[in-house]
Amino acid sequence: MPSGIATDDSTKHFFQDIVQSNALAQLVSFENSERIFSDVKTTYRFCLLTTNRTGDPTTQVRFAFFLTNTNQITDPGRSFTLTNADIARLNPNTNTCPIFRSKTDALISAEIHKRLPVIWDETKPDGNIWNIRFQRVFDMTNDSDHFVESTSGTVVESPDDYFPMWEDWMIHHFDHRYQSHGGEPVTLSQHADSHYRPTPRYCVSRDEVFSRTDSARYFFGFRNRTNVADSRAVIGTLIPRSAVGNTVPVIHFESAHDAAAFCAMLSSYCLDYFSRQKIGGMNLNYFILKQLPCIDQDRLADWTSFVIQHVLELTYTAWDLEAFALDCGYAGPPFRWDEERRFLLRCELDAAYFHLYLGPPVEWGTDSPQLREMFPTPRDVASYIMETFPIVKRKDIARTAGKDARGEVATEGTYITKDTILAIYDEMQQAIDTGEPYQTRLDPPPGPPTDANGDFIPMDQWDKADWPAHVHQPGAVTQDA
């Protein structure tokens, strides 16, 4: 039968029933890439589902996913066991089964779900950890009568009467200006322009947008369409108040700080890794997002200022997100778009979230000797997780390779993203061990200038003769202005 019987929301009640009645004995899933069935598409996934008449709640249920031939059924590295309690912990809302490619992934995920909550556990009255609210602002089919092409005379003649419509291809991590209509990537010089906006496909009247977005002045939006075979599975960012199509589901928060922290968390490699164990198709649906492991506000407390400063600099690169900056306590110009700084900003965030997700070395795998034998420290897990992003690795090696005059590779490139994140992870661990504050690699430090207490210094108190190099001058349009 189709593998979706165990993973899809539409069949969750059936799978819940056989799990909760302890009737599930085994589920082995195949991908038809080696043509087990010659007349069936190679991408088709099917499974062998075995049930018992009666079951024992302590019974270990055997699973295997992404097998391509029957010989792999006996490969111990390809199969794993879970109890009913494990399944309920991994996906508490649906009781569906995560999709693990290996026993290693199953062990890591089970460990993390023991120590961390999911984003929204619907089985608990206080399970909405971040107090989030989802919204589908505009449906691309049912609401199409409200859409006006951005190149139409109506929009061109009265641009202030319309809001651009954001679609999934327009956003990326910490970037609401990723691409324009027609597949035109936003250039570095356009990113450098703090007034630049990408060209949308459609616009919608301001009145219609206001009627649907209440008092929200910005949103967090994520791409609904995804593919675990791509370089990243979860992509989202902060978006200014606008029309937003259903390919970018919107999340509302109680504060700008919550929105910033959630943005950082969903953009981390660590969360992306766990999401790949749960996305069975091409869509990042609400029911999947709700069941991803998360860092709650209590665990984040000591890192809050660090996260806010980094996210603020990464996202507030254009004036259209000024409202977000103001709500974060910063009343100043946007930050300059600097590729090298942005790389380090993101690496520092990723290193921090590896610490937050995996926890301190002394607590790692204390009740899982098998996991601790495979990965003696959480740093070893971070290293393993980074190796599960082969496209990122391949691009890194290509861009860091040294080439000779003929354009041929003279020196091999490196996986610079992984190397940098782990080096910063080590520096953070040393700071934790010694009790000394972590010293950022960035100069000037991330975000707005701060005082000794870490509070943002009002812009009118900045040294005009020594203006922060990473912040636009007031009134500047581009970085060269």
Side-chain angles (χ1 to χ4, degrees), residues 372-393:
R372 197 166 185 115
E373 181 180 355
M374 296 170 65
F375 301 104
T377 70
R379 186 195 190 278
D380 297 319
V381 183
S383 178
Y384 168 80
I385 288 175
M386 289 305 301
E387 288 295 332
T388 66
F389 293 88
I391 297 176
V392 177
K393 180 178 182 178

Side-chain angles (χ1 to χ4, degrees), residues 153-165:
T154 304
V155 174
V156 172
E157 291 172 9
S158 306
D160 292 341
D161 294 336
Y162 291 87
F163 273 121
M165 168 166 281

Side-chain angles (χ1 to χ4, degrees), residues 24 55-56 148 150 198 309 336 359 424:
L24 182 62
D56 182 339
V148 181
S150 61
Q309 290 162 358
R336 296 176 181 271
I424 294 172

Side-chain angles (χ1 to χ4, degrees), residues 84 96 106 298 308 481:
N84 293 337
T96 49
D298 289 340
I308 301 305

